[in-house]
Amino acid sequence: MTESPSIRVLLVDDEPLARDMLREMLQGDPQVEIVGESCNGREALEAIRAEAPDLIFLDVQMPEVGGFEVLAALKGEQTPYVIFSMRFGHLKCRLSITC
């Protein structure tokens, strides 16, 4: 039996707890490889370019460079699939889109 390829994932969120929760959810999946974590948009851009992930869990609102600004900075480059995360009051919601 051949092994199915893993999905290379980058976690981007300025909240350590949010990254911890995502990591915990994804670590049990044998098809997921977490290739990095970033706590801000600048780090995210560097990691995206260095690691070429297939999928990013991307926080919309972060200090300095937010999620939408990260995607705008990647315009014209190979862009991974994105699952946005955003906070509404005390709730954290996830919205899946493809770029």
Side-chain angles (χ1 to χ4, degrees):
M1 189 183 306
T2 60
E3 224 177 278
S4 59
S6 63
I7 300 169
R8 297 171 45 79
V9 176
L10 177 67
L11 307 178
V12 182
D13 201 306
D14 61 321
E15 296 181 38
L17 183 59
R19 289 194 314 274
D20 291 346
M21 288 178 6
L22 285 169
R23 187 182 332 99
E24 192 174 302
M25 287 186 331
L26 296 171
Q27 280 179 332
D29 190 325
Q31 293 183 314
V32 172
E33 176 188 2
I34 298 173
V35 296
E37 296 184 25
S38 301
C39 64
N40 62 56
R42 292 186 202 292
E43 282 184 11
L45 286 168
E46 291 175 16
I48 291 165
R49 291 175 176 139
E51 298 296 334
D54 302 310
L55 174 66
I56 307 170
F57 283 84
L58 183 60
D59 189 5
V60 171
Q61 188 174 10
M62 295 180 286
E64 295 182 37
V65 179
F68 294 120
E69 294 164 308
V70 167
L71 292 180
L74 293 171
K75 187 175 181 178
E77 298 179 42
Q78 180 77 20
T79 306
Y81 289 97
V82 175
I83 297 177
F84 281 111
S85 64
M86 58 197 83
R87 183 173 290 284
F88 292 105
H90 66 284
L91 300 176
K92 190 102 179 186
C93 301
R94 305 230 177 265
L95 168 66
S96 175
I97 68 161
T98 4
C99 294

